[in-house]
Amino acid sequence: MPGTVLNLPEILLTDTFSGKKVPLATLVPGAVGIYCCGPTVYDLSHVGHARAALVPDVIVRFLRAQGYRVKYVRNITDIDDKIIARAQRDGIAAADVAERFAAEYHRDLDALGMLRPDVEPRVSEHLPEIVALVENLVAKGLAYVVGGDVYYRVAAFHLYGRLSGRNRAELLDGAGSRVEVDERKESPLDFALWKAAKPGEPAWDSPWGPGRPGWHIECSVMSSTHLGTSFDIHCGGRDLIFPHHENEIAQSQGAYGEHTFARYWVHNGFINFAGEKMSKSLGNVWTIRQVLDLYPAETLRYFLLTVHYRTGLNFEIEERATGVRFPGLEDADDRVAYVYETLAGARGELGVASGSDAAGGISPGEVTPGVADLAAAFAEAMRNDFNTPAALGVLSKPLAEVNGLIGSGKGVARDVRRRTLARFLADLRTVSAVLGCFGQAPATFLATRRDLKAARMGLDTARVERLVAERGAARAARDWAAADRLRDELAALGVAVKDGPAGSVWSL
RNA sequence: GGCGGCAUAGCCAAGAGGCUAAGGCGACGGUCUGCAAAACCGUUAUCCCCGGUUCGAGUCCGGGUGCCGCCUCCA
């Protein structure tokens, strides 16, 4: 809107390129373009992929909540050596492999409550643009043709290495020591823009003969096609800094000029198992699906948000005779349940129907201090480099206050109490819009959680119900000894019983 | 070998030089309870080591030590 004064609060983010935490100044005030390196679809996605998708997801959600107009682009790499290898192994077409695992990817991310990107381009839909960019680079002397292959001439791009903090001499030093060097390349640092097809491989026509794009060129093309040759934020895993993102910069800036391409680089840290990076070669990969068979999706989501996105996240595992256990997820699960219990309590107190929150009629006036600060403190934490662990910390005080009000509310005026609960419910909706947590009907989450937990524990729910009923009878007869014995029996099964005025309920 | 990152309480984890170092888990004490559980209240750290810059450093600089990542496909 021309002429409109935009008064958006300052947002800080850590930019890998400058290595600093800097204020976000977008190309177009009030608007943000984000590109995220998506998956190569040749297998089920693992927890690391979930994190890589979650980081931009939360950034996009938050920026929108702050009033930005966001265009979110995340690609799907559907042409790749690994896809071809899988297709050959399974004896099906590469395109079918890609199609299948792209669908699986969506299924997993949808389960985790991730927003679909506004545009989800695929390499296979951008061949003409890719060929054009490669031709452009060849014309500029930044690429050369060898047989049916085209390579980027790294020596011709003087800015090479800026993102990853390397220079060409250092790189040359290391190069070749670990990998065989293709003799036909002018330099070991040169990378493929276009690869000639071998017999039986999928191929597209090009001026250099049938072949397919190299890995890096696709992101240069898809980002500029959908966001322009300059855009705001580029996301991806830390491991992509070199060479993938370095090469993207070489391609894009080589073609469009030094001050083009991504203005901010946001890289997420890894997920580790027992202190080591999760990777297929180490055989310690957990797919999203494996985890979601054991824990609610929201629990995994919450767990991933308990650590700042740039930091490594330890995913501890305890292997037991009865099965695997993830202590970190266990804690997250309890915490999410605590939030939902509180939400349920606040709703019950206000007589809010389970379908609607109906907290619409919050009158202005006093609320308890923690709840009063909730929304502002949450936004402030998020503005500081999308600090989700700090933002989650902000919830503790209000949660405790609200539970206090639900418990007795002694000493708090009735109108303050109702207003506080209503405000809390309203603010939690804002929180859930940003984090993608705490947005379900409490009963739904709690039931899902209990079922999964019972399954994990191999619990016989019918037996539990029977014991609880027996104990209820004992309590009614004031036979405390029998009641306590039954409670111990339940406790041994991992079941906790709570006695309330309305009777006993059990939980895990 | 080169480059990058990290080191905060028993454990997990925030903290872009300055009020009493967030928060969670656990532990301990208390309120509530038939006793419990849940919930609530309270207690629980001087930031790996050495040196420097500064009126002032967990936060900046230099040097150690120890982890991790990247340099090959990789979120």
Side-chain angles (χ1 to χ4, degrees), chain A residues 153-169:
Chain A
R153 182 178 281 127
V154 169
F157 183 66
H158 69 288
L159 299 169
Y160 197 78
R162 286 250 182 113
L163 178 71
S164 55
R166 297 153 208 248
N167 61 51
R168 275 165 288 177

Side-chain angles (χ1 to χ4, degrees), chain A residues 32-35 64 69-73 118-119 225-227:
Chain A
V32 184
I34 298 185
Y35 184 84
R64 284 186 180 145
R69 218 166 57 246
V70 181
K71 184 170 181 183
Y72 173 27
V73 179
D118 298 303
V119 185
T225 299
H226 299 285
L227 294 170

Side-chain angles (χ1 to χ4, degrees), chain A residues 239-287:
Chain A
D239 56 336
L240 297 181
I241 295 172
F242 189 90
H244 186 55
H245 291 159
E246 197 69 75
N247 292 350
E248 285 183 38
I249 292 173
Q251 294 159 352
S252 292
Q253 295 191 346
Y256 307 120
E258 175 171 353
H259 296 292
T260 61
F261 209 47
R263 296 157 57 77
Y264 303 95
W265 289 87
V266 170
H267 289 107
N268 65 272
F270 285 110
I271 290 182
N272 306 309
F273 285 105
E276 276 189 309
K277 169 186 171 177
M278 177 170 73
S279 77
K280 292 204 170 187
S281 51
L282 291 171
N284 59 358
V285 170
W286 280 82
T287 63

Side-chain angles (χ1 to χ4, degrees), chain A residues 34-39 52-54 56-57 72-76 105-106 109 114-122 222:
Chain A
I34 298 185
Y35 184 84
C36 168
C37 283
L54 180 59
D57 184 72
Y72 173 27
V73 179
R74 184 187 63 212
N75 75 290
I76 283 186
Y105 182 68
H106 284 142
L109 294 203
M114 309 271 188
L115 303 173
R116 290 288 180 103
D118 298 303
V119 185
E120 193 169 54
R122 299 186 183 209
M222 290 186 277

Side-chain angles (χ1 to χ4, degrees), chain A residues 174-360:
Chain A
S177 57
R178 302 181 61 173
V179 214
E180 280 178 58
V181 176
D182 185 336
E183 299 281 317
R184 302 170 309 149
K185 294 201 291 189
E186 291 178 6
S187 158
L189 302 188
D190 295 347
F191 55 92
L193 298 172
W194 187 263
K195 301 159 107 162
K198 298 191 190 77
E201 288 181 346
W204 288 261
D205 286 330
S206 82
W208 319 285
R212 63 180 183 276
W215 174 36
H216 315 293
I217 195 74
E218 56 179 81
C219 286
S220 286
V221 165
M222 290 186 277
S223 61
S224 66
T225 299
H226 299 285
L227 294 170
T229 52
S230 289
F231 58 94
D232 298 299
I233 302 175
H234 192 133
C235 296
R238 276 191 111 66
D239 56 336
L240 297 181
I241 295 172
F242 189 90
H244 186 55
H245 291 159
E246 197 69 75
N247 292 350
E248 285 183 38
I249 292 173
Q251 294 159 352
S252 292
Q253 295 191 346
Y256 307 120
E258 175 171 353
H259 296 292
T260 61
F261 209 47
R263 296 157 57 77
Y264 303 95
W265 289 87
V266 170
H267 289 107
N268 65 272
F270 285 110
I271 290 182
N272 306 309
F273 285 105
E276 276 189 309
K277 169 186 171 177
M278 177 170 73
S279 77
K280 292 204 170 187
S281 51
L282 291 171
N284 59 358
V285 170
W286 280 82
T287 63
I288 293 170
R289 204 152 300 172
Q290 284 174 302
V291 175
L292 295 191
D293 282 341
L294 297 170
Y295 295 89
E298 210 172 314
T299 290
L300 175 57
R301 196 174 162 107
Y302 180 94
F303 174 68
L304 296 174
L305 293 172
T306 57
V307 175
H308 186 83
Y309 72 85
R310 307 189 73 233
T311 318
L313 198 183
N314 290 318
F315 202 81
E316 301 300 335
I317 303 178
E318 286 175 17
E319 311 259 9
R320 295 180 171 186
T322 50
V324 273
R325 220 182 82 92
F326 301 85
L329 276 177
E330 213 69 53
D331 289 350
D333 200 41
D334 291 345
R335 189 66 181 166
V336 178
Y338 165 77
V339 175
Y340 272 117
E341 299 274 12
T342 308
L343 244 13
R347 287 172 153 202
E349 202 76 13
L350 286 177
V352 173
S354 59
S356 72
D357 258 8

Side-chain angles (χ1 to χ4, degrees), chain A residues 348-431:
Chain A
E349 202 76 13
L350 286 177
V352 173
S354 59
S356 72
D357 258 8
I362 315 171
S363 54
E366 189 194 341
V367 297
T368 59
V371 171
D373 294 340
L374 172 50
F378 177 79
E380 191 187 343
M382 288 301 294
R383 265 187 248 115
N384 187 7
D385 201 15
F386 314 107
N387 194 333
T388 56
L392 292 173
V394 162
L395 302 180
S396 294
K397 182 88 187 304
L399 247 5
E401 278 181 4
V402 167
N403 272 311
L405 294 179
I406 295 167
S408 70
K410 272 187 197 129
V412 180
R414 185 186 146 79
D415 65 322
V416 172
R417 180 173 165 175
R418 290 190 65 83
R419 204 182 291 123
T420 298
L421 294 174
R423 171 81 80 79
F424 171 77
L425 290 178
D427 286 351
L428 259 274
R429 273 203 304 278
T430 307
V431 167

